[in-house]
Amino acid sequence: MQSVMSSGPSLEADAVSILRSIIPGLESTKHKGQAGKIAVVGGCREYTGAPYFSAISALKIGADLSHVFCTKDAAPVIKSYSPELIVHPILEESYSIRDEEKSSIAAKVIAEVEKWMERFDCLVVGPGLGRDPFLLDCVSNIMKHARECNVPMVIDGDGLFLVTNSLDLVSGYPLAVLTPNVNEYKRLVQKVLNSEVNDQNGTDQLLSLAKGIGGVTVLRKGKSDFISDGKTACAVSIYGSPRRCGGQGDILSGSVAVFLSWARQCAAKGERSMNPTILGCVAGSALLRRAASLAFESKKRSTLTGDIIEYLGRSIQEICPV
Ligand SMILES: NC(=O)C1=CN([C@@H]2O[C@H](COP(=O)(O)OP(=O)(O)OC[C@H]3O[C@@H](n4cnc5c(N)ncnc54)[C@H](OP(=O)(O)O)[C@@H]3O)[C@@H](O)[C@H]2O)[C@@H](O)CC1
Ligand SMILES: Nc1ncnc2c1ncn2[C@@H]1O[C@H](COP(=O)(O)OP(=O)(O)OP(=O)(O)O)[C@@H](O)[C@H]1O
Ligand SMILES: [Mg+2]
Protein backbone atom coordinates (compact mmCIF):
# COMPACT_ATOMS: atom_id res chain seq x y z
CA MET A 1 0.00 0.00 0.00
CA GLN A 2 1.19 3.55 -0.73
CA SER A 3 2.54 5.11 2.44
CA VAL A 4 1.37 8.53 3.61
CA MET A 5 3.83 10.57 5.61
CA SER A 6 2.26 12.94 8.12
CA SER A 7 3.48 16.46 7.53
CA GLY A 8 2.59 20.03 8.43
CA PRO A 9 1.90 22.58 5.70
CA SER A 10 5.20 24.33 6.43
CA LEU A 11 7.11 21.41 4.94
CA GLU A 12 6.00 22.28 1.39
CA ALA A 13 8.84 23.84 -0.62
CA ASP A 14 8.29 26.94 -2.74
CA ALA A 15 9.14 24.98 -5.86
CA VAL A 16 8.20 27.63 -8.43
CA SER A 17 10.49 30.26 -6.85
CA ILE A 18 13.28 27.72 -6.60
CA LEU A 19 12.87 26.76 -10.26
CA ARG A 20 12.87 30.42 -11.33
CA SER A 21 15.97 31.17 -9.30
CA ILE A 22 18.13 28.33 -10.62
CA ILE A 23 17.16 28.03 -14.30
CA PRO A 24 19.96 29.77 -16.22
CA GLY A 25 19.29 32.35 -18.91
CA LEU A 26 19.76 31.51 -22.59
CA GLU A 27 22.47 33.93 -23.69
CA SER A 28 24.29 34.10 -27.01
CA THR A 29 27.62 34.42 -25.19
CA LYS A 30 27.35 30.94 -23.72
CA HIS A 31 29.10 27.96 -25.27
CA LYS A 32 28.02 24.35 -25.64
CA GLY A 33 28.35 22.56 -22.33
CA GLN A 34 27.71 25.49 -20.02
CA ALA A 35 24.07 24.49 -19.51
CA GLY A 36 25.15 21.08 -18.29
CA LYS A 37 26.82 17.81 -19.26
CA ILE A 38 25.10 14.82 -17.71
CA ALA A 39 26.03 11.13 -17.80
CA VAL A 40 23.74 8.23 -17.02
CA VAL A 41 25.36 4.95 -15.92
CA GLY A 42 22.71 2.36 -16.70
CA GLY A 43 21.22 0.14 -19.37
CA CYS A 44 21.72 -3.61 -19.70
CA ARG A 45 20.31 -6.51 -21.70
CA GLU A 46 16.95 -6.32 -19.88
CA TYR A 47 16.41 -2.59 -19.49
CA THR A 48 17.05 -0.03 -22.19
CA GLY A 49 14.09 2.30 -21.57
CA ALA A 50 15.14 3.55 -18.13
CA PRO A 51 18.55 5.05 -19.10
CA TYR A 52 17.00 6.53 -22.22
CA PHE A 53 14.21 8.23 -20.23
CA SER A 54 16.70 9.66 -17.76
CA ALA A 55 19.20 10.88 -20.36
CA ILE A 56 16.67 12.36 -22.80
CA SER A 57 14.84 14.14 -19.96
CA ALA A 58 18.10 15.90 -19.07
CA LEU A 59 18.33 17.23 -22.64
CA LYS A 60 14.65 18.21 -22.86
CA ILE A 61 15.03 20.27 -19.68
CA GLY A 62 17.97 22.17 -21.10
CA ALA A 63 21.25 20.33 -20.58
CA ASP A 64 23.63 20.61 -23.55
CA LEU A 65 25.03 17.07 -23.62
CA SER A 66 23.77 13.77 -22.28
CA HIS A 67 25.88 10.61 -22.21
CA VAL A 68 24.90 7.02 -21.43
CA PHE A 69 27.42 4.42 -20.18
CA CYS A 70 25.75 1.04 -20.66
CA THR A 71 26.44 -2.58 -21.59
CA LYS A 72 27.52 -3.55 -25.08
CA ASP A 73 24.13 -5.21 -25.73
CA ALA A 74 22.11 -2.20 -24.67
CA ALA A 75 24.07 0.43 -26.60
CA PRO A 76 22.74 -0.09 -30.16
CA VAL A 77 19.20 -0.21 -28.81
CA ILE A 78 19.58 3.04 -26.86
CA LYS A 79 21.30 4.72 -29.81
CA SER A 80 18.38 3.72 -32.01
CA TYR A 81 15.91 5.53 -29.72
CA SER A 82 17.68 8.83 -30.23
CA PRO A 83 20.60 10.32 -32.13
CA GLU A 84 20.80 13.03 -29.44
CA LEU A 85 22.45 10.79 -26.87
CA ILE A 86 26.16 9.96 -26.71
CA VAL A 87 26.23 6.27 -25.93
CA HIS A 88 29.31 4.43 -24.61
CA PRO A 89 29.04 0.61 -24.86
CA ILE A 90 31.57 -0.14 -22.12
CA LEU A 91 29.94 -2.26 -19.41
CA GLU A 92 29.82 -6.06 -19.46
CA GLU A 93 27.63 -8.56 -17.62
CA SER A 94 29.03 -11.84 -16.29
CA TYR A 95 27.21 -13.98 -18.87
CA SER A 96 29.12 -12.41 -21.75
CA ILE A 97 32.68 -12.81 -20.40
CA ARG A 98 35.04 -15.48 -19.03
CA ASP A 99 36.30 -15.30 -15.42
CA GLU A 100 39.89 -14.79 -16.51
CA GLU A 101 38.89 -11.70 -18.55
CA LYS A 102 37.24 -9.93 -15.62
CA SER A 103 40.17 -7.96 -14.24
CA SER A 104 41.29 -6.64 -17.63
CA ILE A 105 37.71 -5.70 -18.53
CA ALA A 106 37.23 -3.92 -15.19
CA ALA A 107 40.42 -1.93 -15.84
CA LYS A 108 39.23 -1.01 -19.34
CA VAL A 109 35.85 0.16 -18.04
CA ILE A 110 37.36 2.56 -15.53
CA ALA A 111 39.94 3.80 -18.05
CA GLU A 112 37.13 4.67 -20.50
CA VAL A 113 35.09 6.52 -17.88
CA GLU A 114 38.15 8.35 -16.48
CA LYS A 115 38.65 10.01 -19.86
CA TRP A 116 35.32 11.76 -19.47
CA MET A 117 34.65 12.12 -15.75
CA GLU A 118 35.99 15.61 -15.09
CA ARG A 119 33.79 17.03 -17.85
CA PHE A 120 30.54 15.88 -16.26
CA ASP A 121 28.43 18.16 -14.09
CA CYS A 122 26.50 15.22 -12.66
CA LEU A 123 26.21 11.43 -12.97
CA VAL A 124 22.96 9.48 -12.69
CA VAL A 125 23.80 5.97 -11.50
CA GLY A 126 21.35 3.12 -11.76
CA PRO A 127 18.46 3.47 -14.22
CA GLY A 128 18.11 0.04 -15.83
CA LEU A 129 21.55 -1.02 -14.60
CA GLY A 130 20.53 -4.55 -13.59
CA ARG A 131 22.09 -6.47 -10.72
CA ASP A 132 24.88 -8.48 -12.23
CA PRO A 133 27.63 -8.68 -9.55
CA PHE A 134 30.55 -8.09 -11.93
CA LEU A 135 28.82 -5.14 -13.56
CA LEU A 136 28.03 -3.67 -10.14
CA ASP A 137 31.72 -4.03 -9.12
CA CYS A 138 32.70 -1.98 -12.17
CA VAL A 139 30.04 0.62 -11.30
CA SER A 140 31.41 0.82 -7.72
CA ASN A 141 34.77 1.79 -9.23
CA ILE A 142 33.08 4.44 -11.37
CA MET A 143 31.38 5.87 -8.27
CA LYS A 144 34.64 5.95 -6.31
CA HIS A 145 36.26 7.83 -9.16
CA ALA A 146 33.35 10.30 -9.43
CA ARG A 147 33.71 10.99 -5.74
CA GLU A 148 37.44 11.62 -6.07
CA CYS A 149 36.64 14.12 -8.82
CA ASN A 150 33.88 15.79 -6.75
CA VAL A 151 31.26 15.02 -9.38
CA PRO A 152 27.72 14.94 -7.95
CA MET A 153 25.78 11.68 -8.27
CA VAL A 154 22.05 10.95 -8.38
CA ILE A 155 21.59 7.31 -7.37
CA ASP A 156 18.40 5.52 -8.44
CA GLY A 157 17.01 2.07 -9.25
CA ASP A 158 19.66 -0.65 -9.21
CA GLY A 159 22.22 1.96 -8.13
CA LEU A 160 20.29 2.06 -4.86
CA PHE A 161 20.51 -1.74 -4.61
CA LEU A 162 24.29 -1.38 -4.92
CA VAL A 163 24.55 1.51 -2.46
CA THR A 164 22.26 -0.09 0.13
CA ASN A 165 24.66 -3.05 0.22
CA SER A 166 27.79 -0.83 0.13
CA LEU A 167 26.91 2.35 1.99
CA ASP A 168 30.55 3.48 2.04
CA LEU A 169 30.21 4.37 -1.64
CA VAL A 170 28.14 7.43 -0.72
CA SER A 171 28.40 7.79 3.05
CA GLY A 172 29.60 11.28 4.00
CA TYR A 173 29.51 12.53 0.39
CA PRO A 174 27.42 15.72 0.35
CA LEU A 175 27.09 15.64 -3.45
CA ALA A 176 25.19 12.32 -3.43
CA VAL A 177 21.43 12.28 -3.94
CA LEU A 178 19.44 9.07 -3.39
CA THR A 179 16.00 8.88 -5.02
CA PRO A 180 14.31 5.78 -3.56
CA ASN A 181 10.82 4.58 -4.46
CA VAL A 182 8.72 2.76 -1.88
CA ASN A 183 10.69 -0.52 -2.03
CA GLU A 184 14.08 1.11 -2.28
CA TYR A 185 13.26 3.35 0.72
CA LYS A 186 12.18 0.38 2.80
CA ARG A 187 15.46 -1.42 2.11
CA LEU A 188 17.50 1.70 2.96
CA VAL A 189 15.66 2.28 6.25
CA GLN A 190 16.12 -1.37 7.23
CA LYS A 191 19.82 -1.27 6.44
CA VAL A 192 20.75 2.15 7.83
CA LEU A 193 18.35 2.58 10.75
CA ASN A 194 17.81 -1.09 11.47
CA SER A 195 14.05 -0.49 11.70
CA GLU A 196 10.84 -0.51 9.64
CA VAL A 197 9.39 2.49 7.80
CA ASN A 198 7.37 4.59 10.23
CA ASP A 199 4.93 6.99 8.60
CA GLN A 200 3.70 8.52 11.86
CA ASN A 201 7.15 9.98 12.28
CA GLY A 202 8.05 10.10 8.62
CA THR A 203 9.92 13.41 8.54
CA ASP A 204 12.08 12.54 11.54
CA GLN A 205 12.86 9.14 10.09
CA LEU A 206 13.86 10.68 6.76
CA LEU A 207 16.10 13.20 8.57
CA SER A 208 17.70 10.35 10.53
CA LEU A 209 18.22 8.33 7.36
CA ALA A 210 19.97 11.17 5.52
CA LYS A 211 22.04 11.92 8.63
CA GLY A 212 22.81 8.22 9.11
CA ILE A 213 24.35 8.14 5.61
CA GLY A 214 26.56 11.08 6.55
CA GLY A 215 24.49 13.95 5.16
CA VAL A 216 23.64 12.69 1.67
CA THR A 217 20.37 14.02 0.27
CA VAL A 218 17.45 11.59 0.13
CA LEU A 219 14.38 12.17 -2.05
CA ARG A 220 11.66 9.77 -0.92
CA LYS A 221 9.25 9.32 -3.84
CA GLY A 222 5.53 8.80 -3.36
CA LYS A 223 2.19 10.60 -3.23
CA SER A 224 4.25 13.57 -2.06
CA ASP A 225 8.00 13.65 -2.56
CA PHE A 226 9.93 14.25 0.69
CA ILE A 227 13.48 15.55 0.64
CA SER A 228 16.14 15.79 3.35
CA ASP A 229 19.91 16.23 3.73
CA GLY A 230 19.85 15.30 7.41
CA LYS A 231 19.64 18.95 8.49
CA THR A 232 16.44 20.17 6.86
CA ALA A 233 13.44 18.50 5.28
CA CYS A 234 10.88 19.69 2.75
CA ALA A 235 8.16 18.29 0.52
CA VAL A 236 6.81 18.67 -3.01
CA SER A 237 3.12 17.84 -3.31
CA ILE A 238 2.20 19.62 -6.56
CA TYR A 239 -0.53 17.64 -8.26
CA GLY A 240 0.93 15.13 -10.73
CA SER A 241 -0.87 12.26 -12.37
CA PRO A 242 -2.85 9.26 -11.15
CA ARG A 243 -1.12 7.09 -13.78
CA ARG A 244 1.70 5.02 -12.27
CA CYS A 245 3.31 3.79 -15.49
CA GLY A 246 6.95 2.72 -15.10
CA GLY A 247 9.67 5.20 -15.99
CA GLN A 248 8.52 8.33 -14.15
CA GLY A 249 11.29 7.85 -11.59
CA ASP A 250 13.76 7.78 -14.49
CA ILE A 251 12.55 11.18 -15.72
CA LEU A 252 12.99 12.42 -12.17
CA SER A 253 16.61 11.22 -11.91
CA GLY A 254 17.62 13.01 -15.14
CA SER A 255 15.77 16.17 -14.05
CA VAL A 256 17.36 16.26 -10.60
CA ALA A 257 20.80 15.86 -12.21
CA VAL A 258 20.29 18.95 -14.39
CA PHE A 259 18.73 21.12 -11.71
CA LEU A 260 21.35 20.28 -9.12
CA SER A 261 24.06 21.21 -11.64
CA TRP A 262 22.35 24.55 -12.22
CA ALA A 263 21.87 25.08 -8.48
CA ARG A 264 25.59 24.46 -7.95
CA GLN A 265 26.40 27.08 -10.60
CA CYS A 266 24.21 29.56 -8.68
CA ALA A 267 25.89 28.62 -5.40
CA ALA A 268 29.33 29.15 -6.96
CA LYS A 269 28.24 32.69 -7.95
CA GLY A 270 26.93 33.29 -4.42
CA GLU A 271 23.35 33.57 -5.68
CA ARG A 272 21.83 30.84 -3.49
CA SER A 273 22.87 29.67 -0.09
CA MET A 274 20.59 26.62 0.31
CA ASN A 275 22.10 23.17 -0.29
CA PRO A 276 22.13 22.76 -4.12
CA THR A 277 21.23 19.08 -3.86
CA ILE A 278 18.01 20.00 -2.04
CA LEU A 279 17.24 22.71 -4.60
CA GLY A 280 17.86 20.22 -7.41
CA CYS A 281 15.49 17.68 -5.86
CA VAL A 282 12.70 20.20 -5.30
CA ALA A 283 13.01 21.55 -8.85
CA GLY A 284 13.19 18.08 -10.45
CA SER A 285 10.23 16.77 -8.52
CA ALA A 286 8.07 19.82 -9.22
CA LEU A 287 8.83 19.81 -12.94
CA LEU A 288 8.16 16.09 -13.38
CA ARG A 289 4.87 16.38 -11.51
CA ARG A 290 3.74 19.36 -13.60
CA ALA A 291 4.65 17.55 -16.84
CA ALA A 292 2.83 14.40 -15.64
CA SER A 293 -0.26 16.47 -14.89
CA LEU A 294 -0.26 18.08 -18.37
CA ALA A 295 0.33 14.72 -20.06
CA PHE A 296 -2.54 13.18 -18.12
CA GLU A 297 -4.90 16.04 -19.05
CA SER A 298 -4.23 15.18 -22.67
CA LYS A 299 -3.74 11.41 -22.74
CA LYS A 300 -5.75 10.25 -19.71
CA ARG A 301 -5.50 6.51 -19.13
CA SER A 302 -3.12 5.98 -22.03
CA THR A 303 -0.50 8.36 -20.56
CA LEU A 304 2.98 6.84 -20.82
CA THR A 305 6.41 8.01 -19.75
CA GLY A 306 7.22 9.18 -23.29
CA ASP A 307 4.14 11.44 -23.19
CA ILE A 308 5.31 13.01 -19.93
CA ILE A 309 8.73 13.69 -21.45
CA GLU A 310 6.99 15.56 -24.28
CA TYR A 311 5.50 17.95 -21.70
CA LEU A 312 8.77 18.77 -19.90
CA GLY A 313 9.40 21.64 -22.32
CA ARG A 314 5.97 23.21 -21.89
CA SER A 315 6.19 22.86 -18.12
CA ILE A 316 9.52 24.63 -17.89
CA GLN A 317 8.36 27.30 -20.36
CA GLU A 318 5.32 28.09 -18.18
CA ILE A 319 7.54 28.67 -15.16
CA CYS A 320 10.44 30.40 -16.85
CA PRO A 321 9.43 31.66 -20.31
CA VAL A 322 12.03 32.39 -22.99
N1 LIG B 1 11.27 0.79 -19.33
C1 LIG B 1 12.30 0.46 -18.53
O1 LIG B 1 13.36 0.04 -18.99
C2 LIG B 1 12.17 0.63 -17.07
C3 LIG B 1 13.11 0.03 -16.25
N2 LIG B 1 13.12 0.22 -14.91
C4 LIG B 1 14.23 -0.37 -14.19
O2 LIG B 1 13.82 -1.60 -13.64
C5 LIG B 1 14.74 -1.95 -12.60
C6 LIG B 1 13.97 -2.36 -11.35
O3 LIG B 1 13.24 -1.23 -10.87
P1 LIG B 1 11.76 -1.39 -10.29
O4 LIG B 1 11.27 -0.03 -9.97
O5 LIG B 1 10.91 -2.20 -11.19
O6 LIG B 1 12.09 -2.24 -8.99
P2 LIG B 1 11.43 -2.21 -7.56
O7 LIG B 1 11.49 -0.84 -6.98
O8 LIG B 1 12.07 -3.28 -6.79
O9 LIG B 1 9.89 -2.52 -7.85
C7 LIG B 1 9.53 -3.79 -8.18
C8 LIG B 1 8.08 -4.07 -7.80
O10 LIG B 1 7.73 -3.51 -6.55
C9 LIG B 1 6.33 -3.44 -6.44
N3 LIG B 1 5.86 -2.09 -6.08
C10 LIG B 1 6.02 -0.95 -6.77
N4 LIG B 1 5.47 0.09 -6.16
C11 LIG B 1 4.93 -0.40 -5.02
C12 LIG B 1 4.19 0.19 -3.96
N5 LIG B 1 3.91 1.52 -3.96
N6 LIG B 1 3.82 -0.59 -2.94
C13 LIG B 1 4.10 -1.92 -2.95
N7 LIG B 1 4.79 -2.53 -3.95
C14 LIG B 1 5.19 -1.78 -4.97
C15 LIG B 1 5.79 -3.83 -7.77
O11 LIG B 1 5.55 -5.21 -7.76
P3 LIG B 1 4.08 -5.97 -7.88
O12 LIG B 1 3.02 -4.94 -7.89
O13 LIG B 1 4.21 -6.73 -9.13
O14 LIG B 1 4.07 -6.82 -6.66
C16 LIG B 1 7.00 -3.51 -8.65
O15 LIG B 1 6.92 -4.12 -9.92
C17 LIG B 1 15.59 -0.70 -12.36
O16 LIG B 1 16.80 -0.86 -13.04
C18 LIG B 1 14.79 0.36 -13.01
O17 LIG B 1 15.59 1.48 -13.37
C19 LIG B 1 12.18 1.10 -14.26
O18 LIG B 1 12.86 2.35 -14.12
C20 LIG B 1 10.89 1.26 -15.06
C21 LIG B 1 11.09 1.50 -16.53
N1 LIG C 1 0.95 7.94 -5.49
C1 LIG C 1 1.51 8.92 -6.18
N2 LIG C 1 0.82 10.04 -6.48
C2 LIG C 1 1.37 11.04 -7.20
N3 LIG C 1 2.64 11.00 -7.66
C3 LIG C 1 3.37 9.93 -7.39
C4 LIG C 1 2.87 8.82 -6.63
N4 LIG C 1 3.84 7.88 -6.55
C5 LIG C 1 4.89 8.39 -7.21
N5 LIG C 1 4.63 9.61 -7.72
C6 LIG C 1 5.50 10.47 -8.52
O1 LIG C 1 6.13 9.72 -9.53
C7 LIG C 1 7.54 9.94 -9.50
C8 LIG C 1 8.20 8.58 -9.64
O2 LIG C 1 7.96 7.84 -8.46
P1 LIG C 1 7.85 6.26 -8.46
O3 LIG C 1 7.55 5.84 -7.06
O4 LIG C 1 6.92 5.82 -9.55
O5 LIG C 1 9.35 5.92 -8.85
P2 LIG C 1 9.94 4.57 -9.43
O6 LIG C 1 9.21 3.38 -8.91
O7 LIG C 1 11.40 4.63 -9.20
O8 LIG C 1 9.67 4.76 -10.99
P3 LIG C 1 10.31 3.94 -12.22
O9 LIG C 1 9.19 3.19 -12.81
O10 LIG C 1 10.86 4.99 -13.13
O11 LIG C 1 11.40 3.08 -11.64
C9 LIG C 1 7.88 10.61 -8.18
O12 LIG C 1 8.65 11.77 -8.36
C10 LIG C 1 6.54 11.05 -7.63
O13 LIG C 1 6.47 12.46 -7.70
MG1 LIG D 1 12.84 3.48 -10.24
Side-chain angles (χ1 to χ4, degrees), residues 54 74 83 96 119 148 164-165 186 223 247 271-272 276 289 315-316 318 320 322:
S54 182
S96 64
R119 300 192 204 167
E148 280 161 16
T164 304
N165 294 322
K186 190 171 162 206
K223 190 161 180 274
E271 290 169 8
R272 292 262 356 180
R289 283 169 166 262
S315 305
I316 204 160
E318 277 178 358
C320 209
V322 288

Side-chain angles (χ1 to χ4, degrees), residues 293-314:
S293 156
L294 291 174
F296 185 75
E297 256 173 41
S298 157
K299 298 283 174 117
K300 302 293 182 201
R301 205 178 283 272
S302 81
T303 305
L304 296 180
T305 296
D307 301 315
I308 300 173
I309 289 170
E310 288 312 308
Y311 279 97
L312 289 171
R314 193 169 131 190

Side-chain angles (χ1 to χ4, degrees), residues 64-83:
D64 287 334
L65 293 162
S66 192
H67 293 242
V68 177
F69 291 87
C70 60
T71 66
K72 292 195 167 146
D73 294 342
V77 181
I78 298 171
K79 285 173 198 270
S80 77
Y81 297 152
S82 168

Side-chain angles (χ1 to χ4, degrees), residues 5 10-13 202-204 206-207 226-235 274 278:
M5 189 186 265
S10 60
L11 215 54
E12 188 67 17
T203 308
D204 290 341
L206 179 64
L207 277 157
F226 290 91
I227 299 150
S228 176
D229 59 0
K231 291 192 192 115
T232 58
C234 61
M274 203 172 166
I278 297 246

Side-chain angles (χ1 to χ4, degrees), residues 128-145:
L129 193 57
R131 295 188 179 177
D132 179 78
F134 172 69
L135 180 142
L136 292 183
D137 279 348
C138 292
V139 174
S140 300
N141 292 336
I142 295 173
M143 291 177 70
K144 286 175 194 160
H145 185 59

Side-chain angles (χ1 to χ4, degrees), residues 262-284:
W262 289 347
R264 284 189 86 211
Q265 288 178 356
C266 294
K269 289 189 237 154
E271 290 169 8
R272 292 262 356 180
S273 57
M274 203 172 166
N275 186 349
T277 55
I278 297 246
L279 296 173
C281 287
V282 170

